[in-house]
């Protein structure tokens, strides 16, 4: 099992409109989702930046800092090793488009994520 890189950065902010405008208008990042309380951007490498406003109830578990997603080569083995080490996952693994991911509470108390993308098995 290995960490292959970063796949995701998520932030929850009271200043949603300002942060969305910064990534969209100043940095000209392509948007893949634009909703009243959620904006998703993507880099040319396929890495995603998600910005959530206070009205987005689906991500109210995001705490003070950014949520970083780590790309792994074997999701099941990585998750099992983390559980054996006492890491607490938030809910069950989720899937979409062949990717599988799960958020967890790191040893520092912050929320993180592991993800395996299609083709990384």
């Amino acid at each position: 099992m290995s960490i292959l890189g970063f796949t995701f950065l998520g932030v929850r902010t009271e200043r949603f409109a300002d942060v969305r405008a910064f990534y969209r208008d100043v940095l000209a990042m392509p948007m893949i989702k634009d909703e009243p309380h959620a904006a998703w951007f993507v880099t040319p490498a396929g890495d995603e930046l998600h910005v959530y406003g206070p009205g987005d109830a689906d991500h109210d578990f995001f705490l003070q800092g950014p949520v970083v997603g780590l790309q792994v080569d074997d999701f099941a083995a990585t998750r099992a090793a983390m559980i054996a080490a006492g890491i607490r996952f938030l809910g069950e693994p989720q899937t979409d488009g062949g990717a599988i991911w799960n958020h967890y509470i790191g040893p520092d108390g912050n929320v993180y994520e592991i993800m395996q993308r299609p083709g990384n098995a």
Side-chain angles (χ1 to χ4, degrees):
M1 115 187 129
S2 323
I3 300 297
L4 302 175
F6 298 101
T7 61
F8 169 85
L9 175 66
V11 295
R12 184 174 178 85
T13 177
E14 295 288 327
R15 297 184 59 192
F16 173 75
D18 294 335
V19 175
R20 176 179 56 191
F22 172 74
Y23 288 112
R24 181 190 62 213
D25 303 336
V26 177
L27 297 182
M29 290 185 73
M31 292 187 79
I32 56 175
K33 182 178 197 173
D34 189 11
E35 296 182 352
H37 302 284
W40 295 6
F41 302 88
V42 65
T43 69
D47 303 313
E48 295 184 13
L49 170 69
H50 295 189
V51 181
Y52 300 105
D56 181 272
D58 289 340
H59 296 87
D60 59 2
F61 62 92
F62 281 24
L63 304 174
Q64 297 296 321
V67 175
V68 176
L70 302 173
Q71 184 175 352
V72 298
D73 65 343
D74 186 332
F75 179 86
T78 302
R79 188 173 188 275
M82 293 170 71
I83 290 170
I87 295 296
R88 183 172 64 90
F89 280 85
L90 301 173
E92 295 301 314
Q94 299 179 39
T95 61
D96 186 29
I100 184 168
W101 67 93
N102 204 173
H103 291 93
Y104 65 93
I105 304 293
D108 58 0
N110 288 319
V111 176
Y112 297 88
E113 170 189 89
I114 57 169
M115 174 186 279
Q116 183 176 348
R117 288 181 168 162
N120 285 58

